[in-house]
Amino acid sequence: MTTWFWIVMAPVLGGLVYGGERVLRARMQRRQGPPLLQPFYDMFKLMDKRTLVIHSAHALLGVVHFLVLWITVGAIFFGWNLLYIVFLHLFALIVLVIAGYSVRSVFSQIGANRELLALVAYEPVLLLVTVGFYLYAGSFYIGDILHHSGYLSQMPLLFLALLVILPIKVKKSPFDVVEGHQEIVGGVEVEYSGFFFEFLYMARFLEYIFIYSFVFLFGGADYWLGALLVIGTFILVNLVDNATARVRAADMVKISYLLALLLAGINIVWMLT
Amino acid sequence: MKWLAQFRKKSPWILHYNAGSCNGCDIEILAALSPRFDLERFGIVNTGNPKQTDIFLVTGPVTFHSRERLVELYSQIPEPKVVVAVGACTSTGGVFRGMYNVEDGIDRYIPVDVYVPGCAASPQLIIDGIVQALSILEKKNKAIEKPFRLFGGIKRIGKKISRLTMAKRIGEEK
Amino acid sequence: MKKIETTLERVVKTIEEFYDRYEWHFLTLNGIDLDDGKIELQWIFAKYGAKDETVVFYCITDYETEVPSIVKLIPSAIMGEREVVDMFGLTIEGIEGKLYLSDDSLKTPLKTMGLGGCEV
Amino acid sequence: MPGAMLLILLPIVATLLLRWFRSEKMQYILLATTVVLLSATALKLYFGSAVLTFHFPHWLELFIVIADLLLLLYFLWQGRRFDRRIITLLAVIQLLLYGWAESVLPEEGGAEVVVDALSTFMFLIINIVGGIIVVYAVRYMSYEEISEEKKRLFIAYLLLFLSVMNAVVVSNSLLLFFFLFEMTTLASYLLIGFRGDETAQKNALKALWMNQIGGVVILLGTLCAIYGYDTTRFDALTGSVGGTLLLCVSLVSMAALVKGASIPFDGWLLGAMVAPTPVSAILHSATMVKIAPWLILKLSPALGGTGVGLLLSTFGGFVFVAASYLALSRTVFKEILGYSTIALLGLMMALAAIGTPETSILTMVLIFFHALSKAMLFMTAGVVEKLHHLKDIEDMKGLIETAPKSARFILFGFVSLTLPPFGLFIVKLFAIEEVSHMLPDHPGLFLLLLSILIGSTLLVLLYFKVTAAILSRPSDIVGLGHEAMPSGFLLPLAILAVLVVFTTIRLAAVQQVADLTLFFVPIAMLVLAPLAYRWMDRFDRVKCYHCGEKESFDAALYYYEPTPKIRVAIYTFFTLLFVSVALTGALS
Amino acid sequence: MFRSLANAWSNMFKPPHTVKYPFVGDVQVPSDYRGLILYDVEHCIFCDRCEKACPPKAIVFYQHDDGHKEYRYNPWLCIYCGECVRACPKADEALTHSSEKPNPASKAENVNDEWFVWQTVARESRERYAEKKKAEKAEKRAARKGEPAGPKGD
Amino acid sequence: MKKVINIPLGSQHISLLEPVRFQFKTHNEKIVEVGADVGFVHRGIERACVTQFEWKKLPYVVARVCGLCAITHSLSFTLAVEKMLEFESTRRIDYLRMLMVELDRIHSHMLCLSHTAENAGFEAMFMEVMAAREPVMDLQEAISGNRVQFDYIAIGGVHRDISPETAKEVVATLDALKPKIERLLEEFSKNWSLSLKYRGVGMLTYEEACIYNTLGPLARAAGLRTDVRLESSDLPYEEVGFEVVLEKGGDIHARNMVRLYEILNSIEMCKNIVQNLPEGEHLLKIKGKPKGEAIVRLEAPRGELMYLVRGSGKNFLDRVRIKTPTFSGIPAMVEIFKGSEYADAPAILASFDPCMSCTAK
């Protein structure tokens, strides 16, 4: 029952994280920043806007994207197979990419393309992290993974690799090419408005939950360590966001492959020997 | 949904368009986003995308070149929307009034809700204007608002409302 | 400021002889309407790094004669030439106007304004 | 045994009968009967699941030897005729090697033909998918501007091809396999060169010499087997131990790499695109290239766990990545499909070469689903080419509006190749699971794991790039257009689509993993989304955002073109890797 | 990058630069901020110099028929250059450049069109008045000369 | 058959402050062709200057050509008129004018830097530079009474004198600004992500700079030694410690460096001006009406600004010709875009610091 409760609350939780991040980022830039509940104000406002649609399929795919992400997060809370969860997440993103491509808008299409590139950049690393968990815990199931501990000492490089790709997932500098506000005005989300944009907006909350739950897993059975890791990572990602510019999409893939994949690979080979 | 209307003023997202101003007001809008004035504390995000916009900040008397774009952007903003004319030349034409390539103020083309004075309008004035715009935003309903000129009409095709031709080209005006 | 008179036929050759891209830069092509249906065209140059060295080649012509273009010599002159075409309705070889004006705005706004207005 | 004989002979009979079936209707009746018979037999054999063996009588062996010699002489003649030294050279080498092999051929009792589970499985693909393609070819060829005679010849070729393929998958003797291998080479040579123009001829010759390399290595492998183990039988060979076994196996599996068009031999399969589309469809899905994974599977008992097996796995994995990457720079729809075939063949071979029962099953599932989806895609490509005259994906922009039916088939094809819960996706998933399961014991598989991870994301990138072009439309104010698709096209496609869905459901039922149900929810959402279209009418339709401009700007697709340097590096790397397969075999 | 990292970290514990305008106080305005132009009718001598000096014509005098003039000023047209104040012979008394902020106008105030209607009205009023004055003058002159008023008929 | 992607940038785009339309034709994201439309801000000021406004009002009108370099516009017009009137300015007037021009340069360069950082996706840097810029805006407000449109220059002097307290404040503020600029120098040259975005991007070589007659920071970043402060004797720049800043790179990074060093130089100059302010009147009476022709060149933040004024002793002038810095830079700009990535386009554009309202007038 509590699991169901948390699944229902997942967007709210993610919204709080997002709101907190906006406040934190503002503070790092010495601004006052928006209130903590700002994401929810935005959500309620978007519900009340007149909605403009390019075509039905485009709009509905955004909704499907959100729902699939929600299922993914739900599967995480239920402690299901991590590999399946990563692929389900891939599915959600592909739905978004198809949506982005399905309109004749240049920015949307470039955004969708960058989304695909980002997918290429982080997906192997994410899967390697999953494999790392498997090698250590002997199971892909989150429930089993959480019974062991000491991941951090066994897979430090995998954790670093996860840190490298984390900004891609939460759309933060230096890897926020997908959003690329100054270049492509938000990319995939550019043609969404009102009611349907809300789903994309909330999907972002779920992405936070998704990627930070990976960080949490590194704590293993020690939940406190996991929570500490999440908070530390959260602050670190925002610090890096405040200290770097956006790199190009090609550079992102290069960095991700040359650095994150290499780190992950070394760690896995090291675990094998 | 009366209850939801109160959130409009807590999260106004802005779109900024320069319809031929001298840059003065534009850099002041930028300054208003900077840490000193920090518009984000009102929940304001500079989306740069008309489809997710609530407040349309326009600067500049409308030059002939930018008329179509102004109306096009306006017609792409979903209702409820508020137009804020920032600066003297946007409100009334200012010093450019009567010059051959400008229209005197943007209210020749689109309905303006708030006129912000000043040349250039300082960030304080812009904030004042936005605060006034917020109270207007809260009261608006969701009926379609039309531009005054270059309005091509709204078609109903089947049950769908088509805004595809809402903004027209100059040549097609008749 | 040095003013040198030239004619339309000679102007390209004069500028070609005069212009050295490492020493001089082209400021702009300027037109001044003289009230009697004539126009004074000025090619304005300035020297890099030298004090107050400005050279103006000018010639007086009417609106109908085609003006030679110096874009081949100085690529950045294209803006000035387009502007003159736009503002005065001159013809310059190989140059299209449409820099600033829309289809329905005032045509050739700077032409014959000394006569109290311009052609619409 | 009569079942297998029927499968081999029926197409030949149908070919002969085709002479008298001049009208289209009659052809349909003949072909439909043949295909139904073939499929029924294949199904019966598949569910019969008894291993049958057959030993050739002497006259048949003699016949094969003569036919083989004639075949090689034909190649020699072709080489002389078109003045291609490499073809002549390879033909001569093969003649010499073949003569040598025949002269030292041991007398042995093993059966030349063995119909085992693998064969019956391959029958299923060859006859059902291949049969559907043959039926489809009738309609397709009616759009070609060639004589009726040639059209029938074309269909006859296809039927013969099926027959040869049916024979290949039951062959148990290396020399018989060599003969049939050369027969498929001949078939591909004739089919690619079918149009007879210059490019067709050039590409046909290219296919010829590349495939002949395969012939050479098979003969080398045969010699090696004869000298090492006194046998030419697959089952005897894979059952033996020690000695030069690995060299022999590695040489034969190199033939698989050639047939599977792995890089650096991708040129011939891509060159096959000049032929009429049914050729591509049949080459890529049901026949020809499927020899590659079949051969590796056949050899897998000997390969599993060895250095050569590991190397082949890694090779396959690398091909998976590299071919996906190379495909990203292509614009012609069929070429993109071709490269994705090469990539997936790489994956199949990689999985097959691991050699555990689990991976063998995965390979078979992969072969099956790939055949269905690829056949569907290629056939749709043919439809689009003939009905709408589009070959380039750039021109296919907005196909969903102009040709909704074809577009839906293409989309469904791509979805079945990438998304859960379809077979290919499940295979990738289980492959990752399986490989990571084996990783602690076989650390060498790490590279394969990495390749699967990267390659599958690259493939996703590829497919959705193409999907992009097809899906994009300005708005839905105007509904989709109507596309008149002849039933000669529609029916085969529909049957394939139904087969995909049916087998997917069956596969999911077999798997019995509760978490897999997760994947049905999203796909259900996608399928059910159109139900909400009516509800969407309440929302305003609006133009796309183009910085306030009124014109619509069309985005073209992205091409991730490797620089010439990288391209050369890739090909050199793979050539070296190819050679090193033999070296590893020799050294271990 | 690391300096920026450290900077961002330390910024978290520093007070923000933000001034909570318009809720709390005002952003500090130097005393000689060029704000609204204030007018005092008491001191005005109606010389019209400010009207002539104003580049965007934001000051207009309406001429009432009874002779007195009415000052009108449009802060939404004004460019706050201060040229009118400099032109004023009784600057700082009749016309002052205050540091007061102008206010945004709403739609109802109709600052654009109404003002220009008003401008034309004012211009016409002054033309009318000038004609009237002229006529009066002529009348007076005629009266002085003992001739009948009005334009000459012949 | 590879087709090009048509990407519009403008006239409305989040990375643009002012309307300008670039139409990029790209392969993937590599730009192969650029179309530019710069006429969005054309208001017709040149014509209004000779038909609508008398010459005395013109300093306010030409200031509205551009909000960022308003002071240089009104100053060069004023100088041209003063030349025609044969007006002799005092040193105090010159110094006060230079002070304001240099303060304007500081704030304009800082805006450009912040905008470049923003368009490179570095929001924190944008905020940091904007926060550091605010005190300069306050100084300008204290001196002239407005943050942006100063309307400070009068024909015959300046409208306001500077009070001793304000002078002290200028020194204090600029002293506080200097370490911030030095920190920016370090950050702009050492941050790896900015290097990826800036170094070798948007290249303009010395040769190209000469061919396209580029001016201002753009040319100086390419190693072309040109600065009107050096080339004109209208204002006594050599007295206040002016130095030409030169860089060799020609890329965005070099342009940023030029701007940063120029800010440092301007800070020095402003301090020198305020500390050595000569005594005298700040506004002198002028007589007569402008007659003849005068050309004035002045270094605006973006490069060389030229005014050509011709009058014939009437209330309305005969011709006011405004040649703005960006105007001559546009052909170079279009050329530089070719071959770079679309992802870099906003940053490159911002690094030009284009001023379209100047260009189109």
Side-chain angles (χ1 to χ4, degrees), chain B residues 7-173:
Chain B
F7 292 104
R8 286 181 194 164
K9 69 172 178 187
K10 288 192 170 169
S11 129
W13 292 357
I14 60 169
L15 171 72
H16 161 224
Y17 182 58
N18 179 333
S21 90
C22 70
N23 273 348
C25 300
D26 306 86
I27 58 175
E28 294 295 64
I29 288 174
L30 214 58
L33 289 166
S34 75
R36 173 86 164 280
F37 297 98
D38 190 28
L39 278 183
E40 204 185 351
R41 68 204 149 97
F42 297 97
I44 285 177
V45 178
N46 187 6
T47 58
N49 176 358
K51 302 192 170 166
Q52 297 152 11
T53 296
D54 306 298
I55 297 186
F56 190 21
L57 287 182
V58 189
T59 58
V62 190
T63 60
F64 275 33
H65 233 76
S66 50
R67 293 171 293 180
E68 288 175 8
R69 278 89 185 175
L70 180 78
V71 176
E72 174 75 37
L73 287 171
Y74 180 77
S75 69
Q76 282 187 4
I77 303 176
E79 288 81 5
K81 57 189 170 191
V82 172
V83 179
V84 179
V86 179
C89 53
T90 324
S91 309
T92 56
V95 77
F96 305 124
R97 196 178 176 86
M99 288 188 190
Y100 66 85
N101 215 37
V102 300
E103 303 274 348
D104 311 326
I106 59 166
D107 56 2
R108 297 283 185 276
Y109 281 90
I110 55 177
V112 177
D113 297 287
V114 179
Y115 298 86
V116 177
C119 184
S122 62
Q124 292 100 310
L125 281 170
I126 293 171
I127 291 175
D128 283 347
I130 286 176
V131 167
Q132 189 168 335
L134 291 179
S135 57
I136 295 174
L137 188 65
E138 201 182 357
K139 287 182 202 111
K140 283 215 170 179
N141 60 11
K142 296 198 310 190
I144 294 179
E145 290 184 77
K146 299 159 190 147
F148 297 140
R149 277 163 70 184
L150 293 178
F151 174 57
I154 296 157
K155 272 190 209 137
R156 283 190 96 87
I157 298 173
K159 278 184 179 170
K160 299 171 192 144
I161 300 170
S162 162
R163 294 165 71 135
L164 270 71
T165 49
M166 194 162 159
K168 282 230 148 175
R169 282 174 181 284
I170 293 291
E172 300 166 358
E173 205 168 352

Side-chain angles (χ1 to χ4, degrees), chain B residues 15 17-18 20-23 26-28 34-36 46 63 65 69 96-97 99-102 119 123, chain F residues 11-12 14 17-19 37 40-43 47 52 64 66-67 111 127 130 134 138 146-149:
Chain B
L15 171 72
Y17 182 58
N18 179 333
S21 90
C22 70
N23 273 348
D26 306 86
I27 58 175
E28 294 295 64
S34 75
R36 173 86 164 280
N46 187 6
T63 60
H65 233 76
R69 278 89 185 175
F96 305 124
R97 196 178 176 86
M99 288 188 190
Y100 66 85
N101 215 37
V102 300
C119 184
Chain F
S11 59
Q12 187 273 330
I14 181 148
L17 268 183
E18 12 176 21
D37 184 354
F40 285 94
V41 208
H42 182 61
R43 290 149 296 191
R47 182 181 153 87
Q52 215 173 329
R64 266 80 185 169
C66 170
L111 185 86
M127 292 295 179
M130 286 305 270
E134 279 301 317
D138 281 347
N146 204 350
R147 286 163 55 95
V148 174
Q149 289 285 2

Side-chain angles (χ1 to χ4, degrees), chain E residues 1 3-4 7 17 28-30 32-34 51-57 79-83 86 97, chain F residues 53 56-57 60-61 64 122 128 131 138 141-142 144-146 149-151 159-160 183 186-187 191-192:
Chain E
M1 179 184 149
R3 275 288 293 275
S4 283
N7 219 13
H17 287 305
Q28 163 242 335
V29 172
D32 43 3
Y33 166 74
R34 300 204 313 266
E51 187 185 348
K52 284 193 198 105
C54 183
K57 304 188 182 68
I79 59 168
Y80 303 93
C81 60
E83 189 68 6
R86 281 190 283 275
H97 210 152
Chain F
F53 297 101
K56 277 190 179 169
K57 288 181 190 172
Y60 308 110
V61 178
R64 266 80 185 169
F122 199 161
E128 193 179 333
D138 281 347
E141 191 169 351
S144 76
N146 204 350
Q149 289 285 2
F150 310 129
D151 295 331
H159 282 314
R160 294 179 178 208
R183 145 138 172 81
E186 189 196 322
E187 189 68 29
N191 192 317
W192 66 273

Side-chain angles (χ1 to χ4, degrees), chain F residues 108-149:
Chain F
S108 171
H109 277 355
M110 287 182 80
L111 185 86
C112 169
L113 287 168
S114 71
H115 200 219
T116 318
E118 160 92 356
N119 281 359
F122 199 161
E123 199 196 318
M125 181 59 78
F126 165 76
M127 292 295 179
E128 193 179 333
V129 184
M130 286 305 270
R133 177 175 166 264
E134 279 301 317
V136 184
M137 302 302 278
D138 281 347
L139 274 188
Q140 290 170 349
E141 191 169 351
I143 294 173
S144 76
N146 204 350
R147 286 163 55 95
V148 174
Q149 289 285 2

Side-chain angles (χ1 to χ4, degrees), chain E residues 7 14 34 45-46 49-51 55 67-68 71 74 79 84 109 118 123 133 136 139:
Chain E
N7 219 13
K14 287 179 190 160
R34 300 204 313 266
I45 57 168
F46 301 103
R49 281 198 206 171
C50 50
E51 187 185 348
H68 85 269
Y71 165 91
N74 187 346
I79 59 168
C84 48
E109 286 173 59
W118 167 252
R123 199 181 60 236
K133 268 277 179 269
E136 267 174 22
E139 205 174 320

Side-chain angles (χ1 to χ4, degrees), chain D residues 184-313:
Chain D
T184 57
T185 306
L186 174 72
S188 62
Y189 174 68
L190 290 175
L191 283 171
I192 294 170
F194 183 76
R195 289 229 163 101
D197 52 32
E198 206 174 314
T199 18
Q201 198 55 249
K202 213 180 89 195
N203 289 342
L205 288 169
K206 194 185 202 175
L208 187 57
W209 75 255
M210 281 190 173
N211 276 311
Q212 274 183 307
I213 295 177
V216 172
V217 287
I218 293 176
L219 284 174
L220 286 174
T222 316
L223 283 170
C224 177
I226 293 171
Y227 281 107
Y229 303 97
D230 238 9
T231 179
T232 58
R233 303 288 183 264
F234 277 115
D235 46 4
L237 185 65
T238 51
S240 42
V241 278
T244 51
L245 173 71
L246 276 177
L247 173 63
C248 175
V249 171
S250 63
L251 280 170
V252 178
S253 31
M254 276 161 77
L257 293 179
V258 175
K259 231 5 164 205
S262 303
I263 303 170
F265 300 104
D266 55 337
W268 79 264
L269 193 57
L270 284 218
M273 300 301 167
V274 295
T277 307
V279 176
S280 314
I282 212 157
L283 286 184
H284 284 260
S285 59
T287 63
M288 197 70 161
V289 295
K290 289 285 159 31
I291 294 178
W294 171 81
L295 190 55
I296 305 266
L297 274 180
K298 193 99 181 154
L299 297 171
S300 63
L303 282 172
T306 63
V308 179
L310 190 62
L311 186 62
L312 277 176
S313 288

Side-chain angles (χ1 to χ4, degrees), chain F residues 152 160 291 320 349:
Chain F
Y152 184 62
R160 294 179 178 208
K291 195 172 180 197
V320 178
L349 186 61

